[in-house]
């Protein structure tokens, strides 16, 4: 299964994602500069964290117009797996592949710590090796992770099982309904503020993020994405 | 040539934590009469258009496509003809 990690000016978790795929899965993975628009040779896309375009205007607002986003849209529409982590999640919201928007954290603080999450939906391609309701520990590192959507959108997310992760012990950023990660209706596009790529070895403090990548590979193999 | 003065603010229904923090600071400075503070941004855009109605339409387009995020923000603008 071939993974692409688009790199925007200002991305800074791109190599962490590359290493996560290499360390956890041992699958081929390439950083892809944002000027590239064709991602058809890849089976999955990881939009990394960081500060694309310096967070100018709004987080993720300018990255949505980079050429590589055409390839990301095509991958999403064709059913390939697309995950946006942190700034990657913000980009997915700005470009409309996921509903809602991201506000500044309620307490205006940059929060960088390990959080306990609840796996709310273990049937997605990204969570199939977790259990429904399982508690996992994954670090966050953001100042704009306060997920916002209107009531109608929230009802839709709940009804369709699109809320994939929630914060458990506290709500670190003020997110609507303690949301930490959501997917699209089809389930092949996931956005999450916590960083699974920073939770893949015991020395990182937690390795609960490994199974997210293992889930993607398992799903990809079963669906012929491992060509 | 027109100059658009664009104001982007969080929608009324969205809590503005920066505005709340500034309001609390004003209160601690003694300005108890301040009821609410909302923080937004101002953008100045110079745009070459033939006439005012074309400029209005183009500015509205860029506001909706990129300068504001309609999920959480509102925008208003003023147009001024410049030499």
């Amino acid at each position: 299964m071939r993974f692409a990690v688009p790199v925007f000016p200002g991305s800074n978790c791109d190599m962490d994602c590359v290493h996560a795929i290499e360390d956890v899965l041992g699958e081929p993975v390439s950083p892809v500069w944002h000027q590239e628009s064709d991602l058809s040779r890849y089976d999955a896309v990881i939009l990394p964290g960081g500060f694309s375009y310096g967070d100018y205007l709004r987080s993720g607002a300018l990255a949505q117009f980079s050429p590589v986003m055409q390839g990301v849209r095509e991958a999403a529409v064709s059913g390939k797996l697309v995950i946006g982590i942190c700034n990657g999640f913000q980009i997915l919201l700005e470009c409309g592949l996921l509903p809602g928007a991201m506000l500044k954290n309620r307490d205006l603080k940059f929060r960088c710590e390990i959080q306990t999450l609840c796996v709310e939906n273990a049937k997605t391609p990204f969570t199939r090796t977790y259990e429904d309701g399982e508690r996992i520990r994954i670090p966050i590192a953001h100042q704009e992770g306060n997920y916002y959507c209107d009531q109608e959108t929230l009802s839709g997310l709940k009804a369709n099982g699109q809320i994939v992760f929630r914060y458990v012990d506290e709500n670190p950023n003020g997110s609507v309904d303690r949301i930490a990660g959501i997917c699209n209706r089809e389930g092949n596009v996931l956005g999450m503020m916590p960083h699974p790529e920073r939770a893949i070895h015991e020395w990182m403090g937690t390795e609960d993020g490994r199974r997210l990548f293992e889930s993607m590979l398992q799903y990809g193999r079963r669906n012929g994405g491992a060509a | 040539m027109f100059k658009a003065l664009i104001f982007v603010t969080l929608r009324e229904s969205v809590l503005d934590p920066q505005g709340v923090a500034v309001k609390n600071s004003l209160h601690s400075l003694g300005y108890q009469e301040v009821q609410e503070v909302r923080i937004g941004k101002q953008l100045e855009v110079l745009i070459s258009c033939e006439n005012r109605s074309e400029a209005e339409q183009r500015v509205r387009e860029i506001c909706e496509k990129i300068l504001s995020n309609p999920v959480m923000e509102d925008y208003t603008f003023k147009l001024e003809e410049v030499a």
Side-chain angles (χ1 to χ4, degrees):
Chain A
M1 191 170 179
R2 287 159 306 197
F3 289 78
V5 180
V7 182
F8 301 91
S11 296
N12 64 13
C13 302
D14 40 318
M15 290 314 289
D16 303 43
C17 292
V18 168
H19 283 294
I21 296 303
E22 286 171 345
D23 291 3
V24 178
L25 303 180
E27 293 290 301
V29 52
S30 315
V32 178
W33 186 233
H34 72 116
Q35 293 295 344
E36 181 77 47
S37 59
D38 180 10
L39 297 180
S40 59
R41 63 187 177 280
Y42 299 99
D43 306 300
V45 182
I46 304 177
L47 287 168
F51 299 86
S52 58
Y53 292 88
D55 271 356
Y56 294 169
L57 196 63
R58 297 178 303 276
S59 310
L62 300 184
Q64 66 174 309
F65 302 109
S66 274
V68 76
M69 289 309 293
Q70 189 193 325
V72 174
R73 279 195 191 83
E74 285 166 6
V77 168
S78 68
K80 290 180 183 174
L81 298 186
V82 175
I83 175 174
I85 299 165
C86 201
N87 187 229
F89 185 10
Q90 294 162 340
I91 295 169
L92 289 174
L93 294 171
E94 280 285 341
C95 78
L97 282 171
L98 291 173
M102 213 54 93
L103 297 167
K104 279 199 193 338
N105 289 356
R106 177 195 47 211
D107 302 325
L108 301 173
K109 281 186 183 144
F110 189 99
R111 298 285 300 263
C112 183
E113 60 214 63
I114 293 176
Q115 287 281 330
T116 304
L117 309 179
C118 177
V119 180
E120 300 286 347
N121 181 350
K123 288 167 203 70
T124 78
F126 305 91
T127 50
R128 51 200 293 141
T129 56
Y130 296 101
E131 303 286 330
D132 270 323
E134 188 178 341
R135 303 291 200 261
I136 59 173
R137 294 172 66 249
I138 309 271
I140 58 165
H142 62 252
Q143 191 162 14
E144 297 208 12
N146 180 354
Y147 177 77
Y148 171 81
C149 65
D150 58 29
Q151 279 304 314
E152 192 187 337
T153 307
L154 180 63
S155 307
L157 290 175
K158 283 182 184 167
N160 301 320
Q162 288 173 254
I163 299 174
V164 181
F165 299 110
R166 278 197 177 96
Y167 301 107
V168 175
D169 298 325
E170 61 150 353
N171 186 339
N173 48 37
S175 269
V176 162
D177 211 22
R178 304 196 326 277
I179 284 174
I182 57 168
C183 65
N184 61 348
R185 273 186 91 115
E186 294 75 18
N188 67 310
V189 178
L190 171 73
M192 62 191 294
M193 288 313 293
H195 288 268
E197 82 281 13
R198 296 189 193 180
I200 57 167
H201 297 294
E202 217 177 303
W203 58 261
M204 291 178 163
T206 163
E207 46 185 2
D208 289 348
R210 295 181 72 94
R211 278 181 288 156
L212 184 137
F213 300 107
E214 288 164 359
S215 297
M216 291 176 75
L217 180 61
Q218 194 190 88
Y219 177 88
R221 287 206 168 132
R222 288 195 185 157
N223 289 274
Chain B
M1 181 92 91
F2 291 86
K3 182 158 98 177
L5 266 186
I6 301 165
F7 301 93
V8 178
T9 49
L10 286 173
R11 294 173 73 160
E12 280 299 318
S13 55
V14 176
L15 176 73
D16 174 9
Q18 284 191 97
V20 172
V22 171
K23 183 187 78 177
N24 292 343
S25 294
L26 288 170
H27 284 178
S28 58
L29 275 172
Y31 295 98
Q32 299 298 334
E33 67 272 31
V34 173
Q35 298 296 311
E36 189 181 18
V37 177
R38 294 187 72 79
I39 296 180
K41 50 195 156 194
Q42 175 185 316
L43 301 97
E44 286 186 21
V45 176
L46 277 175
I47 186 163
S48 307
C49 286
E50 289 297 310
N51 54 55
R52 179 170 286 270
S53 72
E54 186 194 335
E56 263 183 34
Q57 191 201 327
R58 302 296 279 177
V59 170
R60 193 165 291 124
E61 270 177 38
I62 60 175
C63 283
E64 280 168 19
K65 275 191 189 156
I66 173 163
L67 299 185
S68 77
N69 180 337
V71 175
M72 57 179 177
E73 293 171 327
D74 285 326
Y75 69 89
T76 56
F77 64 88
K78 291 182 206 159
L79 264 188
E80 182 190 328
E81 190 156 11
V82 290

